Amino acid sequence: MGKTGSVRGLLGIQDLPRTEIEAILERAKFFQTPQQRGTALTGRMIVNLFFEASTRTRVSFEIAARRLGADAISITASGSSVSKGESLVDTLATLAAMRPDAIVMRHAASGAPHFLARHLDIPIINAGDGTHEHPTQALLDARTILDHRPTLEGLRVAIIGDLAHSRVARSNIHLLSKFGASIVLCGPPTLLPKEMAQLAPGVTLTHDIREAIAGADVVMMLRVQLERQHEAPIAHSEYFGFFGLRAEHIPLAKNDVLVMHPGPINRGHEIASEVADSKQSVILNQVENGIAVRMAVLERVTAGGAA
Amino acid sequence: MAKLLIKGGRVIDPASGLDRVTDVLIANSIVRKVGDNQHAPEAETIDATGLVVAPGFIDMHVHLREPGFVHAETIETGARAAAAGGFTTICCMPNTSPVNDSALVTRYIIERAQRDAVVNVFPIGAITKGSQGEELASIGGMKRAGIVAISDDGRPVMNSRVMRRAMETAAALDLPVIDHCEDLNLSAGGDMHEALRCVELGLRGIPSCSEDVMVARDIILAEVTGARFHVAHLSTRGAVDMVKQAKQRGLPVTCEVSPHHFTLCDSEIVPYDSNFKMRPPIRCTHDVDACLEGIIDGTVDALATDHAPHAGSEKMQEFEKCPFGILGLETAIGLSFARLVNNGLIPLKRMIELYTTGPANILKLNRGTLQAGSPGDVTILDPRRTWHYELAKSASKSRNSPFDGWQFQGGPTHTIVSGKVVWRAS
C-alpha cells in the first residue's frame, strides 16, 4: 500500500490511490458479517503499539487481528520502556527485532509513523498520528456512508468542530475529495485554519453551522481537543451555542442525513444528546465497521502490501 | 618571516573596489602588498590563475557548542568545518553551557579558540544572565574580554523593558545587539512555517508575524536608544520591508540572511525530516523571494549560516521533539553560487561583500579586506569548480544537513588564515 515501493503498511489517506481505497472498502464489506472469520493471518504476529491512550481503536484492531487468526499483542506507552526514557527509534527497533508481521501504531506526534517507516523494515499501520492522519477512521467512515448511500460522489459532507487538531478530519477530507464529494468545514476561526480550503479539491469553509448543515448528506461532528491547545479558542460556555449540533439543525439537512462522530463524544458540548441517539445517528455503526475495515487493512498489509 | 604569495588570481576586494588579476603577498600574518608581478622567491606560492582571490570570509552567526555540548561540536571541529567551507573568521553565539554571559566564559572560549581553532573565533555575549531574558548579563566585562556583539540567540528577550535596557547599555559600549526576532507566544509549540504544508502535515505553525512583530519592536527600541540593531537570520517579507524602511530613515539597522532561507521553501521539505527543522523555519516562496530581493537591492548586509550542529541521537526522534537547526558552514558558499551568482541575481563581487565587508562593518571587526596592513586572511574561490557535498565526510562532529549529496558549481579552494593555508580543496 504506501506511495513508494519502499514504504509498506498504511501511513495515510493522502497518498493512497483511489483504487486501493475501493479495494479495502469492498473487502471490508465482506468482513461486515460478524461471524465472518479469516485464516489469512494465522501464525502471524501483530503488535499494537499505543503511545497515546485509546480504547476503541486499540480494541478494534485487536479484534480485527484475532478474527483473522493472528496473535495480537498490545503495548501501551505507560507500561513500556518509553517511560524509562528510551527513544522512539530504539523502542521500535527493539520490537522490530522480534519480527512482528506488522506494527499498528498510535502516537501523539504527527509524522511519528512516517519517520519510523523510513528507519524500519516492518509494515506500519498508522492508527492516528498527532493532528495529522487517522487513515482507518476515514476508511470506516466511508464504509459507513456507503452502507447508506450508493456512492460518495456528489455527496455534501459537513465536518464541524475542531478541524485544526483533527487527524480524523484530514484523513476524511483526503478520502472524500478523491471520490468527488463536496466537503464543508465549519468551526471557530482559531480551529479552522484558512489553509484547509486548499487541502484537497472540493473543500469550502464556513463559520456558520447552519450554512454548513444546509443540504448536507452527512454531518460529521468533531470533539474540541483541548489537550492539544495552548488556550481555549472560544469560551467553553459559548461553544455549544455556536458550533454544537442540535435537533433544530437536522431539518436543514437532507431528510436522510447521516450524523457521524469518531468518538469519544461529549454530549452537550459538540453534539446534543438527543441527536447522538437519534435515528439519523450512525455513530455505533461506525464503531462496528471499524473492525471490518481493519480486518481488510491488516489482511492487505500482511499479504505483502498490494500496491 | 613566513611569506605567502598568491599569484595571478582575480583579486576582488569590495572594500577598496579592486577587481583585477594581480598578486597578493602576505608576510608575517599581514597583507603586505597587492600588486602586479611580485616576486618573493622565499615565499610559499599559490598559483591562483583562473581563481578568485577574496578577503577571508566571515560567518557572523555560528554555534560551536563548546563549552557544554561537545558531543555535538567543539570549537576545534566547528573551526575546521568553517575552514572547509571557506571561512577564515566565525562568530559564535552564546548559547553554550554555561551560557557566555560573563567575562570568564568569554575568556575561556577565546583561549580555547587560540589553542584549538584553525580560524579566527570571535565570541558573541549573552544579553541576559543565562539568556533567561530577565537580568542583564555582564556586558561591559564581556566587551573587555573580547565579545563583538550581544545576543540571546535562540531564546529571544521577550520583555521589551529588558531589551530597552540592553540596547542602552550596548549603545554606550558601541556593541551591536543581534536579535533572533521571534515572539515566543505567537510561535509557541510551532515546528514549521505556518502555511498550507504545515496544516497538511498536522504540525503547529511558526507564523511569519511572530518574526515581524519583534523586528518592529526592536527597530522602535533601537531608535529610542540609539543602539545598533542587527536582525539575525531574517526570513520574512515583512522583516525585509521593515529593515529597508529603517535604513531609509537612517537608523543603524542591519540584517543577515541564511543560505537555507534563500535556498529552500516549505513545499520542498521532506515531511517529518528533522534536517529541515530550524528557527526561523523554511518559509514560503513569498518570503524567500523577499530575502532574495533584499540581497539584490542591498537591504541585506550579510549572509550568515546559523551553523547549528546537533548529535545524531537528538535528531532521531519524533519531529516535534527534535531540536532546531542545521549545519551550514560547509555548504554556504556552494548555495550562494547556486542560488545567487550562477543564475545572475547578483555579481560575484556582491556575494563576496556579503561575506566580508558586510559582517566586518556590522561587528567593526577591522578585517574583511585585502588592503595592505589587513590581517592575512584570504578565501580563494573557484567559480567553475564542480563538487558535491558529502555529509559523511564533514569536518563537523554532527550530521544534520538537508544538503547531503547536493551538486554545486563554484566553491572555495583555499582557506588562508594569517597567511597560513588551513584548508585546501582536495
Side-chain angles (χ1 to χ4, degrees), chain A residues 236-246 249 268-272:
Chain A
H236 190 266
S237 55
E238 280 200 342
Y239 189 87
F240 186 65
F242 283 87
F243 299 99
L245 184 67
R246 301 185 296 275
H249 294 133
H269 191 52
E270 73 270 0
I271 187 165

Side-chain angles (χ1 to χ4, degrees), chain A residues 14 88-89 107-112 114-115 118-119 131-132 170 193 195-196 198-199 230, chain B residues 188-189 194-196 198-204 270-273 315-320:
Chain A
Q14 188 173 12
L88 184 59
V89 169
H107 200 288
S110 298
H114 305 68
F115 164 67
R118 282 203 286 266
H119 291 95
T131 57
H132 179 225
R170 282 174 180 74
E195 291 86 359
M196 289 197 108
Q198 302 155 49
L199 269 185
H230 295 288
Chain B
E194 183 182 284
L196 173 61
C198 162
V199 169
E200 196 172 65
L201 294 175
L203 294 170
R204 283 171 294 184
V270 174
Y272 312 113
D273 181 341
K315 288 286 196 177
M316 290 299 273
Q317 316 181 63
E318 297 88 323
F319 188 77
E320 56 194 57

Side-chain angles (χ1 to χ4, degrees), chain B residues 49-382:
Chain B
T49 309
L51 305 179
V52 170
V53 179
F57 277 27
I58 300 163
D59 184 351
M60 64 178 292
H61 190 145
V62 304
H63 298 271
L64 293 181
R65 306 299 188 216
E66 185 180 357
F69 307 104
V70 294
H71 59 290
E73 195 80 287
T74 62
I75 291 169
E76 191 227 331
T77 58
R80 279 201 285 120
F87 290 98
T88 60
T89 297
I90 51 180
C91 304
C92 56
M93 284 295 174
N95 60 338
T96 45
S97 179
V99 167
N100 181 15
D101 60 2
S102 70
L104 194 68
V105 183
T106 304
R107 276 197 293 269
Y108 175 85
I109 293 168
I110 289 172
E111 278 164 25
R112 278 274 152 170
Q114 277 164 354
R115 197 191 71 183
D116 297 341
V118 294
V119 302
N120 309 300
V121 176
F122 292 103
I124 292 166
I127 295 174
T128 60
K129 265 191 190 148
S131 286
Q132 298 287 323
E134 288 156 13
E135 199 183 331
L136 290 189
S138 318
I139 299 169
M142 289 192 291
K143 159 91 177 175
R144 245 180 263 141
I147 61 164
V148 292
I150 53 170
S151 178
D152 274 355
D153 184 52
R155 301 188 65 175
V157 178
M158 292 302 295
N159 184 325
S160 302
R161 181 187 169 87
V162 172
M163 191 50 140
R164 180 184 179 185
R165 298 295 173 238
M167 284 196 181
E168 286 167 353
T169 306
L173 292 167
D174 194 26
L175 280 172
V177 178
I178 302 175
D179 198 11
H180 167 134
C181 294
E182 177 181 348
D183 182 316
L184 297 175
N185 293 310
L186 284 172
S187 65
D191 294 308
M192 66 175 287
H193 176 58
E194 183 182 284
L196 173 61
R197 194 88 177 102
C198 162
V199 169
E200 196 172 65
L201 294 175
L203 294 170
R204 283 171 294 184
I206 301 174
S208 293
C209 66
S210 66
E211 179 165 330
D212 297 348
V213 297
M214 290 302 261
V215 171
R217 179 198 76 171
D218 288 347
I219 289 173
I220 290 164
L221 293 177
E223 186 163 18
V224 169
T225 59
R228 290 190 283 134
F229 161 53
H230 177 78
V231 186
H233 43 51
L234 174 148
S235 74
T236 68
R237 180 169 287 274
V240 174
D241 289 345
M242 283 185 276
V243 169
K244 193 173 182 171
Q245 286 164 19
K247 283 178 187 249
Q248 281 163 357
R249 286 166 53 215
L251 298 175
V253 173
T254 54
C255 69
E256 76 199 22
V257 167
S258 300
H260 51 268
H261 285 130
F262 66 64
T263 299
L264 296 168
C265 68
D266 62 346
S267 61
E268 295 171 311
I269 75 161
V270 174
Y272 312 113
D273 181 341
S274 60
N275 288 321
F276 293 85
K277 183 178 178 182
M278 68 287 284
R279 276 162 67 204
I282 298 297
R283 302 264 186 210
C284 58
T285 49
H286 177 71
D287 293 313
V288 174
D289 289 347
C291 291
L292 291 171
E293 288 160 25
I295 289 167
I296 295 165
D297 73 16
T299 304
V300 175
D301 303 90
L303 299 177
T305 66
D306 193 11
H307 179 81
H310 290 291
S313 56
E314 294 168 320
K315 288 286 196 177
M316 290 299 273
Q317 316 181 63
E318 297 88 323
F319 188 77
E320 56 194 57
K321 278 195 192 166
C322 292
F324 293 88
I326 59 167
L327 303 183
L329 284 163
E330 293 165 315
T331 48
I333 294 182
L335 291 169
S336 301
F337 270 107
R339 300 300 165 118
L340 304 175
V341 177
N342 294 348
N343 57 11
L345 286 187
I346 58 171
L348 181 55
K349 180 178 169 239
R350 168 71 176 145
M351 180 188 109
I352 292 171
E353 183 179 284
L354 287 161
Y355 282 115
T356 56
T357 50
N361 290 341
I362 294 163
L363 301 171
K364 302 197 173 173
L365 288 185
N366 200 24
R367 28 185 95 225
T369 172
L370 291 173
Q371 291 166 93
S374 304
D377 296 348
V378 179
T379 297
I380 303 181
L381 305 165
D382 182 352

Side-chain angles (χ1 to χ4, degrees), chain A residues 138-156:
Chain A
L139 290 165
L140 71 89
D141 287 344
R143 184 63 267 160
T144 305
I145 297 170
L146 288 169
D147 289 344
H148 297 86
R149 293 285 195 282
T151 172
L152 298 173
E153 187 163 354
L155 292 186
R156 182 176 159 88

Side-chain angles (χ1 to χ4, degrees), chain A residues 25-212:
Chain A
L25 294 176
E26 193 52 40
R27 188 63 177 157
K29 195 180 171 72
F30 170 77
F31 285 126
Q32 274 178 326
T33 336
Q35 61 273 28
Q36 195 58 251
R37 298 290 202 272
T39 54
L41 271 66
T42 304
R44 305 290 190 105
M45 178 169 57
I46 307 296
V47 173
N48 291 310
L49 187 54
F50 279 66
F51 292 94
E52 196 183 52
S54 156
T55 307
R56 94 197 52 225
T57 307
R58 182 174 53 78
V59 171
S60 181
F61 266 109
E62 275 175 29
I63 294 172
R66 286 185 183 150
R67 281 198 184 163
L68 290 170
D71 296 321
I73 296 158
S74 289
I75 302 165
T76 47
S78 57
S80 78
S81 50
V82 174
S83 52
K84 296 171 195 158
E86 192 175 48
S87 83
L88 184 59
V89 169
D90 289 334
T91 303
L92 267 283
T94 304
L95 282 174
M98 299 174 193
R99 306 208 175 278
D101 295 279
I103 293 174
V104 175
M105 183 176 154
R106 156 76 55 101
H107 200 288
S110 298
H114 305 68
F115 164 67
L116 289 165
R118 282 203 286 266
H119 291 95
L120 298 174
D121 195 29
I122 287 183
I124 295 177
I125 298 169
N126 181 5
D129 65 315
T131 57
H132 179 225
E133 280 229 46
H134 192 349
T136 57
Q137 180 72 42
L139 290 165
L140 71 89
D141 287 344
R143 184 63 267 160
T144 305
I145 297 170
L146 288 169
D147 289 344
H148 297 86
R149 293 285 195 282
T151 172
L152 298 173
E153 187 163 354
L155 292 186
R156 182 176 159 88
V157 181
I159 308 180
I160 301 166
D162 181 355
L163 277 302
H165 302 97
S166 179
R167 53 194 174 211
V168 174
R170 282 174 180 74
S171 288
N172 266 309
I173 289 165
H174 291 304
L175 191 151
L176 292 164
S177 178
K178 283 178 204 279
F179 287 86
S182 70
I183 304 145
V184 191
L185 308 181
C186 174
T190 308
L191 300 181
L192 181 55
K194 58 184 188 307
E195 291 86 359
M196 289 197 108
Q198 302 155 49
L199 269 185
V203 179
T204 54
L205 313 183
T206 176
H207 302 303
D208 178 354
I209 189 170
R210 292 176 167 273
E211 191 186 315

